[in-house]
Amino acid sequence: MNEIKNAISSDFFESAEKIEKAKMYDFSIAFNALVKSLKLYGPGNDTVEKNMKKFRDSIKFFFVSKTGEAVSFSFDGNDFYINDERIKKKRGSQISFDDLEDFFILLQISSMTFQPSTKNSSIINFIILGLDTIKKNIPQESVFEHFLDLMKTNDIEIGLSKRDSSGSKDVYSILDKKQLARLLYRSMIDDHHLFKAKIDEKRPIPIRKALRNVQNAIDLITDGSEDSQESQLLTLASLSSLRGKYIATHLSNTAILSIAAGAQLGIERDLLTRVGVAAYFHDIAIPETATGEDIEHCEKGFAYLSRLNSLNFAMMEAAITSGLHHKTYTFTGEPVIPEKPSMSTPLGEIIKVCDYYDLVTRWWPSNNSPPMKRTNAIEKIFKLADKKCFSHVAAKALFSALGIFPPGTVLRIAKHNMLAYSIDVFKNTGKKSKVAVLDKKMNFKGIHSLYPYELIELPDAIRFTLPPPTIKAILDSFDSSGLKSP
C-alpha cells in the first residue's frame, strides 16, 4: 500500500499568511471608513450602514480563525496592529488614515478590544461618543478617563487600554520605552528629509507625522514614572551630529530641549506640542547639505511655514519662531545685543534659548574651533539674558531641565583616576544621578550613581570627543538597570 502523505506543503502556509495579512489590511480600511463616514454623516446614513457591514464582515474572519478569542486593534503612533501583529500598508496606496489615527491619539487610546458578542450598535455608539469627546477639546491628561466613563454609562462593552504615559501595565507600544526613545530620536532625524522634499515640491508638510514625533517625545519626557525616558532623550540630544544630517540633528535636539524646558515651567500639553513643533521646524529653510556655515534663513523659513500650513496653530508658532529666533544672536552663536528687550513670543523665547545652547555646544564641520563646554553655555545664556538677548524665565527653564552638569558633560570623578560622562539631570546635592564611567582611553566601564560633589569639572582647555563604540555602549546601558559604585 502506498503511504499516505501527511505533510502540508509550504505553499499552504504562505497562502494562509497572505490571506491573513490581506484581511488585516481590509479590517483597518473598513474601520477607518466607518469612523470617517460617521464623522461626515452621523448615524442612520446609507454610507454608514454599508461601511458597518464591511467592518462586520472583516472582523468575522478573525473571530472564526481564532475561535472565541477577542480581537485587539492597536496603534503605536506609527503603525496599526491586530493582536500585536503589525498591519502592512499597501505600497502606493492613496488612502488616508488621518481620521483613524486622530481617534487613537486624541483620545489617548493604545488599543481597543472587540468580543464576538459585540453588537453593531455598540460599535456605532463607541465611535460617535469618541468623535463627540474629541470635539470638546478635553485636556489630554483626562480625556481617556472621560471617554471611559461615557462608555460605562452607555453600557458599551469594548475594552480599552490607555496610551502608556503613566508607567502602568497598559502598553502603548510593543516596544518598551527605552527602545521607543531611541526609535523616536532616529525617526525625528530621518523625517527631516521628507519635510524638505515636500517643501521642494511646494507641497504641504505632513504635519501629522511631525505632531506624532513631538507628542511621543512629550510622553516619554513628562510621564513622571520611574522609567521616564527624559534622561535618555537628553543624552541622545547631547551627542555629536549624525554624519550628513547636521541640520536634522540640530532640529531634533532643539525640539527635545524645548519640550524638557517647557515641562519645567509646567506648560500644559497642547502648548508643549506647539513648542515642540515650532522647535522642530525653526531652521527648516536651511539646506540639508549645510554643515554649520552662516546662512541667512529666517525670512525664508517664515515664508515656507506661513505659506504651507498657515491655518495650523503649531505651524503659525513655528513660522513666527523661524522668523525671529536669530534677532539677538547669529547662526554662529555671537550675541546681537538689542537696545531694548526684543521678545518673539513666550514660547519662541524657550526655543531661542534651546537653539542657542545646541548651536554653541555642537561640533560643526564648518567651525574650526571647539564647541563651548555645556556648563559654560548655560552660564553664557544667563549673562546674555542680563543683556536682553534672552528671557530670564526661558534661561532658568533650560537650566532646570539640564541641571548643573547637563547630559553630555565630560567630568572627572573625585578621588578616582576616571572620567565620567553625565547621562542624567543633576538638580541638587541631596540626590544621586547617573554617569557613564570611562577609562583613560575613553572606553565605557559602566553606569554609576553619584552625588554632584563627587564630580569635578575639567579645565576649559581640555576637550574630549567620545569614540563611536563608547557612545553605543552608553546608549545600550539605558537597557540595563544595574548600578555600581566606583
Side-chain angles (χ1 to χ4, degrees):
M1 292 179 64
N2 293 330
E3 293 184 3
I4 297 173
K5 294 183 178 180
N6 292 320
I8 301 174
S9 70
S10 60
D11 291 341
F12 173 84
F13 291 107
E14 289 178 5
S15 298
E17 187 178 354
K18 287 180 180 178
I19 291 171
E20 185 162 358
K21 286 182 178 178
K23 290 294 184 181
M24 290 171 66
Y25 183 72
D26 291 342
F27 177 95
S28 61
I29 291 288
F31 195 87
N32 181 60
L34 185 58
V35 171
K36 186 172 290 188
S37 59
L38 279 168
K39 184 177 180 180
L40 289 173
Y41 308 117
N45 182 273
D46 290 343
T47 303
V48 172
E49 291 178 4
K50 289 178 182 177
N51 288 332
M52 184 67 237
K53 184 179 183 304
K54 290 179 181 177
F55 175 72
R56 177 56 70 179
D57 290 341
S58 68
I59 202 172
K60 276 181 183 177
F61 171 84
F62 299 99
F63 289 141
V64 172
S65 63
K66 299 183 179 180
T67 308
E69 290 188 13
V71 174
S72 173
F73 185 44
S74 56
F75 179 61
D76 72 352
N78 291 297
D79 298 300
F80 292 103
Y81 296 82
I82 291 181
N83 298 332
D84 291 333
E85 188 170 346
R86 185 170 70 90
I87 300 172
K88 284 190 175 182
K89 295 180 182 178
K90 292 184 179 179
R91 290 182 180 178
S93 173
Q94 299 299 314
I95 296 174
S96 169
F97 288 88
D98 289 347
D99 291 303
L100 185 53
E101 291 176 2
D102 282 349
F103 196 86
F104 275 94
I105 292 172
L106 298 179
L107 292 172
Q108 290 291 292
I109 296 172
S110 165
S111 66
M112 51 187 72
T113 305
F114 301 93
Q115 303 288 342
S117 58
T118 304
K119 297 178 181 178
N120 289 1
S121 58
S122 288
I123 296 170
I124 294 289
N125 289 335
F126 166 69
I127 296 172
I128 290 172
L129 286 173
L131 294 172
D132 288 343
T133 303
I134 290 171
K135 290 178 183 177
K136 293 177 182 177
N137 292 321
I138 296 169
Q140 288 293 303
E141 60 270 14
S142 55
V143 67
F144 180 84
E145 285 73 18
H146 176 86
F147 182 45
L148 208 59
D149 289 341
L150 285 177
M151 288 180 61
K152 290 177 181 177
T153 303
N154 289 271
D155 295 323
I156 297 174
E157 296 181 351
I158 294 174
L160 291 185
S161 65
K162 186 179 179 182
R163 178 174 174 170
D164 186 22
S165 58
S166 61
S168 65
K169 292 181 180 179
D170 297 328
V171 180
Y172 168 51
S173 168
I174 60 170
L175 302 173
D176 64 31
K177 290 182 184 178
K178 298 178 182 69
Q179 294 170 318
L180 188 59
R182 292 170 71 172
L183 181 62
L184 166 66
Y185 188 70
R186 187 180 70 183
S187 296
M188 291 181 76
I189 291 170
D190 288 346
D191 287 347
H192 177 252
H193 175 76
L194 172 63
F195 303 144
K196 291 294 293 183
K198 294 296 182 183
I199 286 175
D200 293 340
E201 296 167 5
K202 296 184 178 179
R203 295 174 60 189
I205 295 171
I207 183 64
R208 292 179 189 275
K209 197 170 185 64
L211 281 168
R212 281 200 296 271
N213 286 341
V214 168
Q215 288 172 350
N216 287 342
I218 293 171
D219 283 344
L220 293 169
I221 289 173
T222 66
D223 67 5
S225 62
E226 289 184 2
D227 60 347
S228 165
Q229 294 304 299
E230 179 183 17
S231 294
Q232 182 172 190
L233 284 173
L234 289 174
T235 299
L236 284 164
S238 73
L239 302 176
S240 295
S241 300
L242 298 181
R243 191 177 300 278
K245 297 184 178 181
Y246 303 104
I247 301 302
T249 306
H250 171 61
L251 293 179
S252 301
N253 293 348
T254 306
I256 290 169
L257 291 168
S258 298
I259 291 168
Q264 292 299 316
L265 294 175
I267 295 176
E268 59 188 30
R269 184 186 174 87
D270 62 336
L271 290 182
L272 272 184
T273 301
R274 282 168 59 182
V275 170
V277 172
Y280 198 21
F281 286 116
H282 77 278
D283 277 340
I284 198 67
I286 299 180
E288 274 190 291
T289 54
T291 58
E293 62 270 27
D294 192 4
I295 298 174
E296 182 55 47
H297 60 282
C298 292
E299 292 182 4
K300 287 183 181 179
F302 178 83
Y304 283 148
L305 298 176
S306 61
R307 174 170 56 83
L308 293 174
N309 296 85
S310 59
L311 297 180
N312 181 283
F313 281 113
M315 295 303 289
M316 288 171 66
E317 188 76 46
I320 294 169
T321 301
S322 179
L324 297 176
H325 72 285
H326 277 314
K327 290 292 184 182
T328 57
Y329 60 98
T330 68
F331 187 65
T332 55
E334 294 300 319
V336 179
I337 301 174
E339 294 182 1
K340 57 181 180 179
S342 176
M343 178 174 280
S344 51
T345 67
L347 302 185
E349 288 300 307
I350 296 173
I351 297 163
K352 279 174 58 178
V353 166
C354 296
D355 172 60
Y356 180 87
Y357 174 83
D358 192 68
L359 277 176
V360 298
T361 59
R362 181 155 307 284
W363 292 86
W364 294 93
S366 63
N367 191 355
N368 295 324
S369 58
M372 194 181 297
K373 284 176 57 179
R374 297 179 183 278
T375 49
N376 291 352
I378 295 291
E379 185 179 350
K380 183 70 176 290
I381 285 171
F382 276 105
K383 289 180 179 179
L384 293 180
D386 291 336
K387 296 179 179 179
K388 306 173 186 176
C389 291
F390 296 122
S391 159
H392 276 96
V393 173
K396 290 176 182 177
L398 179 62
F399 175 64
S400 181
L402 297 178
I404 57 176
F405 300 131
T409 304
V410 180
L411 305 155
R412 185 169 67 84
I413 301 177
K415 300 179 182 179
H416 289 82
N417 195 21
M418 290 186 291
L419 294 175
Y421 186 86
S422 171
I423 59 170
D424 207 348
V425 180
F426 287 82
K427 291 189 175 179
N428 57 64
T429 55
K431 178 184 174 183
K432 287 186 175 183
S433 294
K434 290 180 288 186
V435 295
V437 176
L438 313 173
D439 63 17
K440 295 178 181 179
K441 296 182 179 180
M442 304 298 286
N443 295 316
F444 175 70
K445 301 298 291 182
I447 300 297
H448 296 248
S449 188
L450 301 171
Y451 290 107
Y453 63 77
E454 296 179 282
L455 297 167
I456 301 171
E457 284 197 68
L458 298 175
D460 288 348
I462 299 177
R463 305 295 175 91
F464 291 103
T465 55
L466 271 60
T470 302
I471 291 173
K472 184 180 184 304
I474 290 172
L475 294 178
D476 289 343
S477 73
F478 282 94
D479 296 328
S480 173
S481 59
L483 293 175
K484 303 175 182 178
S485 297

